[in-house]
Amino acid sequence: MTNSVCKPAVYESLYNKHAKDLRNYLYYKFGNLESAEDIVQESFIKLWQKCADVVLEKAKSFLFTISTNMFLNEKNHEKVVLRYKKIPQSDTNIETPEFILLEKEYMDKLQTTLSNLPDGQREVFLLNRIEKKTYKEIAELLNLSVKAVEKRMHNALKYVREKIGNI
Amino acid sequence: MKDNNMNNNYLAKWLNNEITDKEFKSLIGSAEFEAYNKIKINLEKFEAPKFDSEAMLKRIKSKTKSQETKIIRLVPSWVFSAAASVALLLVAYLFVFSDTTLSTSYGQHTAFNLEDGTYIRLNAKSTLSYNKRSWAKSRVINLIGEAYFEVTHGTTFIVKTNMGIVKVLGTHFNVKTNKNYLKVVCFEGKVEVVINGKRTILTKGNAFQFAKDTMSKWHILKNKPSWVNGINTYQNTPLFIIINDLESQFKIDIDASNIDKNLLLTASFDNNNIDIALKSIFVPLNFNYNIKKNKVLLSKK
């Protein structure tokens, strides 16, 4: 009972530990930021209501499972459109307007490609590349094997490389 | 490439720095390497939308709160009857399934009979529990402290303590437990004591004690423990056990930090008079004792 999820301190530490990951995972998976945040909120409220039934060790997978289900049941799947920083790669100002234009074209294409990554690969790839989660962490979050995460990473990068072509 | 394993998910391994740029380059050629590296570098520019963690936690807290208050304000009356029946079921459940517990406070004794006629007398600051429902099938009692039993014949009667198990068929006996201490006295019939898997059989008039890993046995002449009649008696008993009993009987705190509490003592004290009790234990030991309110400080003369 010492680590019951019903204890406000335990509950809050779970929130601090998982809320952001959960939001990003849902966003990368389903693309709708507003819905992702709504569902994170809903999931944590559910966790509080069921705190007596959920043991601490299962809380994370409870959150990830019910939020994924909620999304699948109620929300529309949308495309993820990630924003990128428009900071020039070097600050030496030798970039020609043509170069800048090409860069923008490249980034837009990369953006579209990330959006079009197949389901399953996309959230894994973005959790690693953007959230800097290790393969092991991702495997734990999504209940996958590390090998499966590796496979998805490999295929995702392969996909991006194919789509981006030679520009 | 050093081995074929590297071909397996090599892109993932390169991203994860398990394969160096050099190795990767030699695997796919420099033109491809440049293309992949450009992707890798440019991926760094993407970022997730900001997440306002505190704002969301606030919303969650206000939502869980408002839901609670809603329940209080807007309960329809049927909920009360439903709640009442749930409570009733719960009580019934507790009555049927959970253990019955009896405890005594400082200086308090209690005596009672179980359904099968077994008589139990509980000494001060002791707790006893048993399961009413399964009693007919297995007679098991959990004991902390001290109790005297007069067991009615029937199935095996078991007293569980933190030190060991006392098993009987139908006898009169006394069990006293404490941390690292167990004393069993048999007044009639036969008692089996099991400590760490080691069995000892006690017959009428025999006492057994296990204190701090040492075992002792002796005979008694009485047919009931003396504490039942208001006198606590001890045979080669560590002083800390006696001090503990004095504390339980008279609701006092005894500070024995200045003396050796493992001293073995054969003594007795009167349950009803604190002055006489303290005198009868500590004067023969040549100890000084100071009483201040409920605290007693012991020291050597």
Side-chain angles (χ1 to χ4, degrees), chain B residues 11-186:
Chain B
L11 295 176
K13 286 187 172 128
W14 170 63
L15 285 176
N16 204 27
N17 300 323
E18 289 167 58
I19 299 177
T20 64
D21 284 355
K22 211 174 151 193
E23 285 171 315
F24 186 52
K25 202 187 245 177
S26 72
L27 181 72
I28 57 168
S30 60
E32 272 305 289
F33 174 77
E34 288 310 324
Y36 274 113
N37 207 29
K38 190 173 180 184
I39 292 169
K40 188 182 178 185
I41 288 164
N42 281 297
L43 279 170
E44 294 294 320
K45 295 180 189 167
F46 288 91
E47 55 189 359
K50 279 229 155 49
F51 179 57
D52 191 343
S53 178
E54 268 174 51
M56 187 185 285
L57 185 59
K58 248 185 204 162
R59 285 200 299 275
I60 290 171
K61 278 182 175 169
S62 76
K63 278 219 170 175
T64 47
K65 262 211 191 103
S66 70
Q67 277 179 357
E68 278 164 23
T69 45
K70 232 186 259 161
I71 291 165
I72 294 161
R73 256 187 286 126
L74 306 170
V75 244
S77 58
W78 62 267
V79 170
F80 288 109
S81 39
S85 19
V86 168
L88 201 66
L89 279 173
L90 195 71
V91 169
Y93 175 85
L94 286 175
F95 186 74
V96 176
F97 292 103
S98 77
D99 285 359
T100 308
T101 305
L102 290 148
S103 18
T104 49
S105 183
Y106 294 99
Q108 200 181 50
H109 289 192
T110 185
F112 55 95
N113 284 88
L114 299 175
E115 290 104 284
D116 62 2
T118 296
Y119 169 85
I120 300 177
R121 192 175 166 123
L122 205 55
N123 204 345
K125 206 79 189 125
S126 301
T127 302
L128 177 151
S129 68
Y130 66 100
N131 193 311
K132 257 192 178 146
R133 198 176 65 112
S134 62
W135 187 253
K137 268 185 268 164
S138 65
R139 303 196 287 177
V140 180
I141 282 197
N142 296 299
L143 175 71
I144 303 165
E146 182 167 17
Y148 169 66
F149 299 86
E150 288 181 8
V151 178
T152 308
H153 267 285
T155 54
T156 313
F157 189 99
I158 294 171
V159 180
K160 283 189 179 170
T161 74
N162 61 343
M163 282 294 288
I165 291 172
V166 184
K167 266 192 216 174
V168 292
L169 280 166
T171 54
H172 298 176
F173 65 102
N174 189 80
V175 180
K176 181 178 176 58
T177 73
N178 202 311
K179 212 180 157 203
N180 290 321
Y181 181 84
L182 176 68
K183 183 175 90 175
V184 182
V185 186
C186 179

Side-chain angles (χ1 to χ4, degrees), chain A residues 11-12 15 23 27-28 37 41 44 48-49 83-85 106-107 129 131-132 135 150 154 161, chain B residues 9-12 15 32 36 39 42 44-45 47-50 53 56-57 59 61 64 67:
Chain A
Y11 179 79
E12 232 176 285
Y15 175 86
R23 198 287 308 262
Y27 177 54
Y28 296 151
E37 300 210 337
Q41 197 172 312
F44 272 95
W48 180 250
Q49 289 164 345
R83 288 158 47 127
Y84 55 84
K85 291 174 248 178
Y106 183 87
M107 287 307 286
R129 287 294 100 192
E131 301 310 312
K132 307 294 175 207
Y135 295 173
E150 247 180 29
H154 177 88
R161 171 71 195 98
Chain B
N9 297 333
Y10 61 90
L11 295 176
L15 285 176
E32 272 305 289
Y36 274 113
I39 292 169
N42 281 297
E44 294 294 320
K45 295 180 189 167
E47 55 189 359
K50 279 229 155 49
S53 178
M56 187 185 285
L57 185 59
R59 285 200 299 275
K61 278 182 175 169
T64 47
Q67 277 179 357

Side-chain angles (χ1 to χ4, degrees), chain B residues 274-288:
Chain B
I274 183 169
D275 289 323
I276 295 174
L278 290 176
K279 246 181 217 154
S280 53
I281 297 297
F282 297 121
V283 169
L285 286 172
N286 224 2
F287 286 163
N288 276 333

